[in-house]
Amino acid sequence: MSLMSDQRQPIRVLHLIDSLAPGGAERMLVELVNNFDFNSITPVVCVTRHALTLKPFINPNINVFCLDRKATWDLKAIRAFGEIVKEEKVQIIHAHGYSSFRFACASRALSDLPVKIIVHAHSSDPPDFLTSLIGSFSLDYFIGTSMETIHWAEQKMHLPANKFVLFENAIDPKPYQKARKKKVDHLFSTNLDQIGIMIANIRPVKDLITLFRSLAISKNKEKIGIIIAGSVADENYFKTCTDELTRLSLQNHVIFQGYSDDIPALLAGVDFGVLSSERETGPIALLEYMAAGIPFVVTCAGQVANEVSKIGIPGCVPIKDPQAFAQALDVLIGESQEARDIRVKQAFNLANEKFNIHHQIKNLISLYQKILID
């Protein structure tokens, strides 16, 4: 199979990921494959493990394979993947995450696959030694979702500078603009004037403790309710969170909603968004707040938050600073509807112009074309 693509034929790209459980990388994959122009790209999806929660959201015309691998170096799964690559005539493997990248490299070596491999690093953690070593001689391109991620990779992988590409997270704003409002008041046992939401899986890096402590010292504490929309990714941390809520007497103000399959409707039903992460690359949750037209208070973590802060849209605060978070919440709660509308419009315009998936798709297709020529 030739790596060169006939210009009249779509480029066949396989998107490889460990799972389709709800998460930032997984949701980004869904956004990408659903928005490709099939005249330019024929996308295929392969999940190395078994979680397929987000599969129903993928265009049914896209082939989705599940390997159900049992271990990191599951030889049966590695060989099965090689057969899929051959049968689907894949030209480029777009690996989401370091684990998927290592898996793809193992399969290419074992099955002698004539394909290019790129890694799409969604994590805010730097690549480990093994990933860096493999990447130095097996990687064709590195895609980072933040400049921090790019810098880490440049330090650890011995590749030419032009092999590192920034590809910021992006979404399609339309579903958020068209969403029907979902009632959320009934989730709380007391009447609350302002309902916020945090879209995040429950794990330490999301730093929910800072959020809770900021709520506890807010002047508007009695008015505010917060919905946490995300899965429990760390049971021990979840217990830490519930214990802290009890200590702060906030049990009636914070609801753990769990995973939701209709985030746009939830966002249409709340008054504002929050995000208290210590580290992020995107984050997609902030893009969703912006696209849905709700104001927000978020920590300055990740590429999107940096852009928001850079152009002066209100709502970005330092990480791990409950006092600053509480003050920003109080400003938001106390401002006029006119002031809210101004910040919402600024944020929506930024999301629509800079973080629109349709703009990013064009850049990605150009990268695929360049990869086949290199």
Side-chain angles (χ1 to χ4, degrees):
M1 180 183 69
S2 171
L3 285 173
M4 293 299 295
S5 174
D6 185 331
Q7 292 182 350
R8 295 168 296 180
Q9 296 297 320
I11 301 171
R12 302 187 69 84
V13 182
L14 185 147
H15 284 254
L16 180 68
I17 198 162
D18 282 353
S19 85
L20 284 176
E26 293 80 6
R27 291 166 66 198
M28 194 64 222
L29 179 150
V30 173
E31 286 278 350
L32 287 174
V33 299
N34 282 347
N35 285 286
F36 280 125
D37 177 358
F38 286 4
N39 291 317
S40 301
I41 302 293
T42 299
V44 179
V45 175
C46 185
V47 180
T48 68
R49 296 197 183 273
H50 61 271
L52 295 172
T53 308
L54 297 182
K55 182 182 176 182
F57 296 93
I58 293 177
N59 185 323
N61 294 316
I62 297 173
N63 288 340
V64 179
F65 299 91
C66 182
L67 298 175
D68 195 23
R69 66 178 168 124
K70 307 299 184 184
T72 300
W73 305 111
D74 184 333
L75 289 179
K76 181 179 178 182
I78 290 173
R79 290 193 176 97
F81 178 67
E83 291 304 312
I84 291 169
V85 170
K86 291 174 183 176
E87 290 172 8
E88 294 291 323
K89 298 180 172 61
V90 172
Q91 296 164 281
I92 298 172
I93 298 173
H94 185 143
H96 293 263
Y98 299 134
S99 174
S100 296
F101 163 65
R102 294 191 299 268
F103 181 88
C105 289
S107 184
R108 180 169 67 178
L110 190 65
S111 302
D112 192 26
L113 303 174
V115 295
K116 299 282 190 176
I117 297 177
I118 61 178
V119 63
H120 193 153
H122 300 269
S123 172
S124 56
D125 296 322
D128 60 20
F129 174 77
L130 180 59
T131 301
S132 300
L133 181 63
I134 295 173
S136 294
F137 61 85
S138 295
L139 181 60
D140 292 291
Y141 270 84
F142 181 100
I143 296 177
T145 49
S146 70
M147 285 309 302
E148 183 181 35
T149 310
I150 296 285
H151 293 326
W152 279 334
E154 287 176 332
Q155 292 170 15
K156 292 175 175 290
M157 295 183 185
H158 302 293
L159 295 171
N162 65 347
K163 299 296 184 180
F164 298 94
V165 179
L166 175 65
F167 186 83
E168 296 164 318
N169 283 345
I171 61 174
D172 182 355
K174 291 179 182 176
Y176 301 88
Q177 294 294 295
K178 298 177 179 179
R180 292 185 178 182
K181 180 178 180 179
K182 184 172 183 176
K183 288 184 65 64
V184 296
D185 297 2
H186 68 282
L187 297 174
F188 297 90
S189 58
T190 57
N191 292 326
L192 300 166
D193 293 336
Q194 295 287 317
I195 307 298
I197 189 169
M198 178 163 165
I199 303 173
N201 290 334
I202 300 166
R203 52 198 181 99
V205 73
K206 299 301 181 179
D207 194 17
L208 290 163
I209 302 302
T210 288
L211 173 64
F212 300 156
R213 291 176 181 172
S214 70
L215 182 56
I217 59 177
S218 166
K219 296 175 183 177
N220 295 283
K221 166 185 166 182
E222 298 306 322
K223 298 180 181 180
I224 300 173
I226 303 289
I227 299 167
I228 310 296
S231 304
V232 177
D234 185 318
E235 291 286 353
N236 291 331
Y237 186 66
F238 179 62
K239 184 178 187 307
T240 299
C241 290
T242 54
D243 288 346
E244 185 70 2
L245 287 176
T246 301
R247 188 184 74 80
L248 297 170
S249 300
L250 289 174
Q251 303 95 314
N252 294 329
H253 292 265
V254 177
I255 299 295
F256 292 97
Q257 167 81 3
Y259 164 70
S260 172
D261 61 1
D262 197 356
I263 291 295
L266 265 180
L267 292 176
V270 301
D271 299 296
F272 62 91
V274 292
L275 198 63
S276 52
S277 305
E278 292 180 19
R279 300 193 315 277
E280 289 283 358
T281 52
I284 291 178
L286 176 52
L287 290 177
E288 291 178 311
Y289 303 159
M290 295 160 72
I294 61 172
F296 50 79
V297 175
V298 300
T299 48
C300 287
Q303 195 74 17
V304 181
N306 288 337
E307 291 293 330
V308 167
S309 180
K310 186 188 302 182
I311 66 174
I313 299 173
C316 282
V317 300
I319 64 172
K320 298 188 79 65
D321 190 338
Q323 189 69 42
F325 208 106
Q327 289 174 354
L329 266 179
D330 289 335
V331 169
L332 173 58
I333 299 301
E335 70 185 4
S336 65
Q337 186 60 51
E338 182 181 8
R340 281 198 182 195
D341 290 345
I342 290 173
R343 68 158 81 187
V344 161
K345 184 177 180 181
Q346 286 180 307
F348 176 80
N349 288 341
L350 178 62
N352 192 45
E353 293 167 10
K354 184 174 178 59
F355 299 105
N356 190 312
I357 191 67
H358 300 292
H359 302 328
Q360 292 290 56
I361 285 289
K362 293 178 183 178
N363 296 333
L364 188 57
I365 291 175
S366 296
L367 178 61
Y368 289 158
Q369 292 168 339
K370 182 180 179 181
I371 288 171
L372 293 183
I373 294 172
D374 284 356

